[in-house]
Amino acid sequence: MPHLSTFAIVCAVRAHGEHGAIARLLTPDHGLTAGYVRGGRSRAMRPVLLPGNVVKADFRARTEDQLAGLTVELAHSRAPLLAEPLPAAAIDWGCALTAAALPEATPYPALHQALAGLLDAVEAAPAARGWAVALVRYELLLLAELGFGLDLSRCAALGDVDDLAYVSPRSAAAVSRAGASGYEQRLLPLPPFLVAGGTGEWAEIMDGLRLTGFFLERSVLTDRRADVLAARERLVERLKRAVA
């Protein structure tokens, strides 16, 4: 990638040197891509390099192995949302998860589209219920794209496709009420909206977050990537307080 010009979503930024920053952006066709922004910590650039913002990005590198120099121009700012605790927590978590979980330079066009949709929902919805289901679906899609997808097509115990109500934490497969009989306490609740579509009540949304959170922590956010789970915990706690 000697030269790449594209619109991208800012996912993570860290200081580099005295004035610069390394930004990791999710691009539509090249996946997660990092670049060095000269003056990235300046007063002018800090509002641009905020997670969730959409930027016009220009990456330039001399070789494939060199960290690219990156210049960015703000295309769409979500900075006003960062003053609101719940939207800010949702943006923080969605972008942090993406930056921590995805390998660099691997295309994930479906995830780019889904993250853009999630951020748009956070921005447009008048309340958290308007975007919380989208967050659960984004986490579920990310698991699938990384090879840890849940099989919600049929019951792992009986093979039936009706009345799916649980997920096995061992096999990541759905289980019907009949198939779960006597073992319900060992299984994870499966919210109906993940099978039938549509939206869900708050109890179902929280079940969805517990479900995806279990598999994210077990299969994706391990070792050095586990520290980003703190952002998810903040979001879940704020959601609990909002619906209490």
Side-chain angles (χ1 to χ4, degrees), residues 128-200:
R129 189 173 171 184
W131 51 258
V133 167
L135 174 62
V136 176
R137 293 190 185 282
Y138 180 69
E139 293 182 344
L140 197 67
L141 176 63
L142 185 140
L143 284 164
E145 290 284 299
L146 293 178
F148 303 106
L150 280 61
D151 182 1
L152 306 181
S153 61
R154 64 184 62 251
C155 175
L158 302 179
D160 51 329
V161 297
D162 297 322
D163 203 20
L164 301 176
Y166 300 93
V167 173
S168 166
R170 296 182 64 183
S171 67
V175 183
S176 67
R177 293 187 193 279
S181 181
Y183 296 92
E184 292 89 347
Q185 297 303 315
R186 302 182 186 181
L187 304 174
L188 298 164
L190 172 61
F193 68 82
L194 288 182
V195 179
T199 59

Side-chain angles (χ1 to χ4, degrees), residues 86 128-129 131-132 135 202 205-206 209 234-244:
L86 263 177
R129 189 173 171 184
W131 51 258
L135 174 62
W202 270 117
I205 292 170
M206 298 309 294
L209 288 170
R234 287 193 295 272
L235 171 59
V236 171
E237 285 304 313
R238 288 177 182 178
L239 285 171
K240 288 178 179 177
R241 290 197 296 268
V243 303

